[in-house]
Every structure is written in structure tokens, then in C-alpha cells.
């Protein structure tokens, strides 16, 4: 279908929904690199005006990537819940924006319609929203998941303790874990990005995490972020695995570049479930995503990177994950050029993920060759906390010495907790109280208590 919008004497023509979505997207370097961005601010506004008039039903009739060519499109179409969609089915994209910002779109209502929304609908409405709109609506979305604790409850924010080491050294990793635990981090998970892809090394790291969590009865979950096929093989060998990790994207071809398919993800989830290691729930998957991943794999089909990112959340929600993490600034300035683009993308990702029903966290981060700095990250971090982000990263000193990028620290999480009164997962907060690391108000005590004994046992 062709879409048109006139501004003064100029008529802008968009050949299909795919082009309309791309031209309506706020500026970012990835879309410019792909040659699909609006040529001017006026064309971008014309596209947004045309997009506002598109009925939401049109997204069910016009796929941005053909059904027969892409298994992600087939997943989106085949799993669409018409009953959940009914309350908003008569709306245009513009009217949907207005409805989302109204009191009618309460938290319970948003949860009920999530399965009726396609990622393209959600991406479309985000393109019409200011940053404050993205924050306001995301704040109303509540997505709760469980494994050994409960993540995503209102008034709470979790952290992934990321104790990476450039040589996968057990003592170095353990020291970082201790640092994070003493500062109240780690309730989302303790997740290691391994430097090696050697299955023997991965198995050793998994056993290390299992020993620490079991020895101190920590109500959290461990994860080593290796390829899903490695995890499957290690599960078959009896290695203790809590969460099954995989990077995913919004097209079949991009996922193929990661070496995965929907069938493989289903197999991995079933393997994780078979271990029955969760104590309060059975959400066993951990996914990571990032705007630009499909473009970097030359697998974007001419679709803008933010719409493809939303499609990745549709993949994620199909497997009922514990955690979904947008590593927003990690892919580099070729895709998100500077702090302004990273901040906008982080708010978009969080909004789209939560509205689709995914338990979305954000790695508030940038690479050292991006036009961004830690002040930009402080701004995004604070905005995401206001928006009710599910979890963030906890990296020693905010500087990942293995992945060589800048993220957020254990102290950044403490700043947010103090500023917004945010608690951790309830089971993890209770554990901190039990070992003397925090008081009954769940603020860190800063006194001795059982701290030296706990620390000595962990290092030993």
C-alpha cells in the first residue's frame, strides 16, 4: 500500500509500510548507513503525520518482511491474539498513542492487550512519542518473572552482577562477585561473559557460580553467556545451568547469523526447564538484543533498526524469559552515533519491550569510540529508572575490563535506589537482611555484622 502526506506544496510518497516506518524514525546513524532514513526533517515529519493515520489493523495485513520469507514474521502473525487486540483494534497509530497516555490505559489493561500487539504496532507508536511519553507509558507496564526470586515488581529494580575477567580467572571473578554482593547487586542474576568459548572453561565458570549461590543460599541465578549450543551440550553432561542465554534479533536471517533458529531456542528452553532448578518459578531463558544487529549482519530487509529491535522482543516473549536485555550502546556509533541517539534508543527499547510483555532491562552503555560519555549514561540511567526499568548492569567501576566498554556500576544502582526509593527482588532483599548486609529498611548497613565472615568464606 502506498502512503502519502502533503506539507505545503510538497507531497511525500512512501511506497509501503516498511518505508513509512523507516522515514518516521528519529535520526540515528544505523538507518543513515542503511540508506533508509528520511532525507530531511520535513520528510520525517510528513512520514510521522502519515503514520499517525494508519489503522492498527493495517499492521495485520501488511508485513514489513513477507510471511513466506521469514520465520519471525510467521511467529508474530501466527501467535497474534485477536481477543487481546480487540480493545484497541479500531484505533489508528495516533489514536493509540493518545489512548496509551490516558488513564484508560492502566497497568492491568496494558498487560491484557500485550499479546494482541505486534512489534510493528508498538514500534510505530513509539515513533510518534516524545521521550516523556515513552517514560510515562513504560512506567505503567508491569512484567513479572521468577526463577529463584521475583523480578519486575512495582517499586523494585534488579541488577545483573557482571564480574567479567579478561582471562576467566576464578579468583578475579570471585572478587568482583564479592564486590557486587557487598554493594547489594546481583538479584537479576550473576552473569559472566566468558573470554573463552572452550566448553571446559564454561563448565568451570558454571560450577563456580553454582557453588557460590548454593554455599551462601543466595536467592539469585547464575548464567554464563555462551552460545546456546554450548549450553545445551553442557546440560547433557550434567553441568549445573540456571539460565540459558542467547543473543537474538528481529529477522530469521539475523538469527541465523547468530547460529540460532526458533526451533533451537525451543529445544534450549525445554532443556533448561528439564533441570527444574528454579525455586519460585520456571522462567529459564535470558536474551540479549541491540538495535543494529540485523543491519550489521546484512539481514535487515530494508527495515529500520528500531522496528527490528521490537521484533526481537516478540521472539523473546515467545519463550517466557526471566530477563531480556537491550545492550543499547554496545554495538557502536555506526548504529547509534552519540549520547542523544543512545538515550532515545534506550527509552524506545524499554517502552517497546515492556508494552509487548517482555521483562526488559537495559545495559546503559557506550563504546569508547562513540560520541558519548558517562554524563550521557547518567541521564539515560535516571530516565530509565523513572520509567520503571526491570534491571540494569552492575560492573565494577562501570568499566568492563573484558568487553572493553563503559556500563553502569554497583554504586550507580545505589544512586537510583536512594533517588527513587527502589528495592531489590524481595527474596534477595530478605537475604541481605539475613546476613547483615542491610537493615530491615533494606538500605545497606555499612557496618560489620557478619560481613568479614561472609567475605572470608567467599574468597576462600
Amino acid at each position: 500500500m502506498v502512503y502519502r502526506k502533503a506539507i505545503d506544496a510538497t507531497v511525500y510518497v512512501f511506497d509501503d509500510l516498511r518505508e513509512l516506518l523507516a522515514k518516521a524514525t528519529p535520526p540515528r546513524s544505523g538507518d543513515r548507513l542503511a540508506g533508509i532514513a528520511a532525507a530531511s526533517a520535513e520528510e520525517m515529519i510528513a512520514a510521522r503525520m502519515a503514520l499517525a493515520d494508519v489503522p492498527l489493523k493495517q499492521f495485520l495485513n501488511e508485513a514489513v518482511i513477507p510471511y513466506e520469507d521469514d520465520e519471525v514474521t510467521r511467529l508474530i502473525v501466527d501467535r497474534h491474539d485477536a481477543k487481546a487486540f480487540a480493545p484497541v483494534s479500531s484505533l489508528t497509530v495516533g489514536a493509540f498513542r493518545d489512548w496509551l497516555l490516558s488513564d484508560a490505559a492502566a497497568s492491568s489493561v496494558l498487560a491484557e492487550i500485550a499479546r494482541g500487539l505486534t512489534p510493528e504496532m508498538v514500534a510505530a507508536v513509539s515513533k510518534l512519542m516524545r521521550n516523556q511519553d515513552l517514560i510515562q507509558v513504560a512506567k505503567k507496564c508491569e512484567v513479572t518473572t521468577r526463577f529463584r526470586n521475583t523480578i519486575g515488581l512495582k517499586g523494585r529494580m534488579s541488577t545483573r552482577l557482571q564480574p567479567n575477567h579478561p582471562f576467566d580467572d576464578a579468583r578475579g571473578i570471585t572478587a568482583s562477585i564479592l564486590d557486587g554482593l557487598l554493594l547489594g547487586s546481583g538479584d537479576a542474576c550473576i552473569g559472566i561473559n566468558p573470554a573463552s568459548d572452550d566448553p571446559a572453561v564454561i563448565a568451570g565458570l558454571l560450577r563456580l557460580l553454582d557453588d557460590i549461590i548454593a554455599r551462601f543460599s543466595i536467592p539469585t541465578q547464575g548464567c554464563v553467556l555462551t552460545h546456546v549450543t554450548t549450553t545445551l551440550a553442557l546440560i547433557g553432561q550434567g553441568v549445573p545451568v540456571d539460565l540459558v542465554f542467547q543473543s537474538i534479533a528481529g529477522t530469521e536471517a539475523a538469527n541465523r547469523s547468530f547460529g540460532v533458529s526458533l526451533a533451537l531456542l525451543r529445544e534450549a528452553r525445554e532443556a533448561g526447564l528439564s533441570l527444574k532448578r528454579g525455586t519460585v518459578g520456571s522462567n529459564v531463558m535470558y536474551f540479549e538484543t541491540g538495535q543494529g544487529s540485523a543491519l550489521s549482519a546484512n539481514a535487515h530487509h530494508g527495515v529500520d533498526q528500531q522496528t527490528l529491535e521490537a521484533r526481537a522482543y516478540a521472539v523473546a516473549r515467545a519463550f517466557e524469559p526471566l530477563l531480556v536485555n537491550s545492550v543499547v550502546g554496545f554495538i557502536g556509533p555506526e548504529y547509534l552515533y552519540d549520547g542523544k541517539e543512545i538515550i532515545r534508543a534506550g527509552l524506545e527499547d524499554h517502552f517497546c519491550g515492556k508494552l509487548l510483555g517482555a521483562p526488559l532491562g537495559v545495559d546503559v552503555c557506550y563504546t569508547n569510540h562513540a560520541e558519548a560519555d558517562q554524563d550521557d549514561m547518567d541521564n539515560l540511567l535516571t530516565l530509565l529508572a523513572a520509567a520503571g526499568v526491570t534491571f540494569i548492569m552492575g560492573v565494577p567501576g562501570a568499566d568492563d575490563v573484558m568487553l572493553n566498554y563503559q556500563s553502569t556500576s554497583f554504586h550507580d544502582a545505589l544512586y537510583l535506589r536512594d533517588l527513587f526509593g527502589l528495592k531489590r527482588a524481595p527474596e534477595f532483599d530478605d537475604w541481605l537482611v539475613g546476613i547483615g548486609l542491610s537493615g530491615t529498611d533494606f538500605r545497606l548497613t555499612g557496618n560489620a555484622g557478619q560481613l568479614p565472615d561472609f567475605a572470608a568464606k567467599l574468597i576462600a
Side-chain angles (χ1 to χ4, degrees):
M1 179 174 174
V2 177
Y3 302 86
R4 294 179 173 84
K5 194 67 184 181
I7 296 183
D8 295 330
T10 303
V11 178
Y12 291 92
V13 179
F14 310 98
D15 290 339
D16 51 28
L17 195 54
R18 176 177 59 187
E19 183 182 6
L20 182 63
L21 287 167
K23 296 293 177 65
T25 304
R28 65 205 56 200
S29 54
D31 291 338
R32 294 190 292 273
L33 177 66
I36 60 174
S40 66
E42 187 174 88
E43 184 182 26
M44 180 180 66
I45 294 303
R48 290 182 186 176
M49 292 171 69
L51 183 61
D53 292 333
V54 175
L56 291 181
K57 287 180 180 178
Q58 180 63 18
F59 293 89
L60 301 177
N61 300 322
E62 185 179 352
V64 296
I65 304 174
Y67 181 92
E68 59 274 13
D69 295 343
D70 187 89
E71 69 172 357
V72 175
T73 299
R74 293 193 289 274
L75 174 75
I76 292 165
V77 172
D78 294 347
R79 292 209 175 194
H80 181 253
D81 187 331
K83 183 178 179 182
F85 180 56
V88 295
S89 62
S90 64
L91 301 179
T92 62
V93 176
F96 185 42
R97 172 193 175 275
D98 294 342
W99 180 83
L100 287 171
L101 291 166
S102 74
D103 291 339
S107 296
S108 58
V109 176
L110 293 178
E112 289 171 359
I113 70 167
R115 296 284 172 172
L117 301 177
T118 70
E120 291 84 358
M121 294 175 193
V122 171
V125 76
S126 76
K127 298 174 193 298
L128 306 184
M129 301 178 104
R130 295 170 57 186
N131 285 3
Q132 66 173 251
D133 299 338
L134 299 173
I135 293 167
Q136 183 177 349
V137 176
K139 179 72 171 180
K140 296 192 286 186
C141 298
E142 295 179 24
V143 182
T144 305
T145 56
R146 296 173 176 84
F147 189 76
R148 289 202 187 96
N149 56 27
T150 308
I151 294 170
L153 294 171
K154 186 176 181 180
R156 297 179 184 267
M157 180 194 73
S158 296
T159 54
R160 171 189 154 192
L161 201 171
Q162 185 168 300
N164 296 344
H165 191 280
F167 307 112
D168 293 329
D169 178 72
R171 287 185 65 83
I173 289 170
T174 301
S176 292
I177 292 174
L178 174 61
D179 187 19
L181 291 175
L182 295 183
L183 290 168
S185 267
D187 54 332
C189 72
I190 303 173
I192 303 169
N193 295 90
S196 171
D197 58 3
D198 183 344
V201 173
I202 307 302
L205 295 176
L206 285 165
R207 292 189 179 99
L208 172 67
L209 292 179
D210 180 61
D211 174 67
I212 291 172
I213 291 170
R215 216 166 12 123
F216 299 101
S217 302
I218 307 173
T220 191
Q221 34 283 327
C223 185
V224 177
L225 282 68
T226 188
H227 194 270
V228 67
T229 53
T230 302
T231 303
L232 273 169
L234 293 174
I235 288 174
Q237 296 169 23
V239 176
V241 172
D242 289 341
L243 302 182
V244 178
F245 168 81
Q246 183 56 48
S247 293
I248 58 171
T251 73
E252 178 181 351
N255 283 325
R256 191 184 308 122
S257 77
F258 289 146
V260 298
S261 64
L262 299 182
L264 180 59
L265 294 177
R266 280 191 289 271
E267 179 185 354
R269 179 172 179 267
E270 290 303 315
L273 288 171
S274 71
L275 300 178
K276 296 185 167 110
R277 291 175 61 84
T279 56
V280 299
S282 57
N283 298 115
V284 298
M285 303 299 288
Y286 175 15
F287 295 118
E288 284 194 348
T289 67
Q291 287 195 29
S293 58
L295 175 57
S296 69
N298 195 28
H300 60 100
H301 299 274
V303 181
D304 69 273
Q305 64 185 39
Q306 190 253 335
T307 297
L308 292 180
E309 176 72 2
R311 283 168 58 98
Y313 304 146
V315 174
R317 73 177 177 182
F319 299 95
E320 300 179 9
L322 181 76
L323 307 167
V324 181
N325 181 31
S326 165
V327 192
V328 67
F330 183 75
I331 199 165
E334 299 84 359
Y335 306 93
L336 297 169
Y337 178 70
D338 56 15
K340 183 179 179 66
E341 291 188 7
I342 293 171
I343 288 169
R344 174 68 191 191
L347 294 176
E348 289 170 348
D349 292 352
H350 181 250
F351 163 86
C352 290
K354 294 291 272 299
L355 193 55
L356 287 167
L360 205 87
V362 179
D363 189 346
V364 179
C365 63
Y366 65 101
T367 57
N368 289 317
H369 63 311
E371 290 294 323
D373 59 27
Q374 209 64 40
D375 286 337
D376 294 314
M377 298 306 103
D378 284 350
N379 293 342
L380 177 55
L381 182 72
T382 305
L383 294 172
L384 285 167
V389 69
T390 302
F391 68 99
I392 61 169
M393 300 296 109
V395 178
D399 184 3
D400 193 299
V401 296
M402 195 281 284
L403 292 174
N404 292 312
Y405 80 119
Q406 309 304 311
S407 185
T408 49
S409 71
F410 307 132
H411 296 85
D412 290 331
L414 294 179
Y415 148 72
L416 292 180
R417 297 193 192 289
D418 186 60
L419 185 65
F420 291 101
L422 297 169
K423 298 179 181 179
R424 303 163 186 83
E427 300 87 348
F428 194 84
D429 261 341
D430 290 343
W431 177 77
L432 290 174
V433 172
I435 65 169
L437 280 177
S438 76
T440 53
D441 60 354
F442 302 114
R443 295 174 66 89
L444 296 184
T445 58
N447 58 32
Q450 299 179 34
L451 212 62
D453 182 55
F454 168 75
K457 287 180 179 178
L458 183 56
I459 291 296

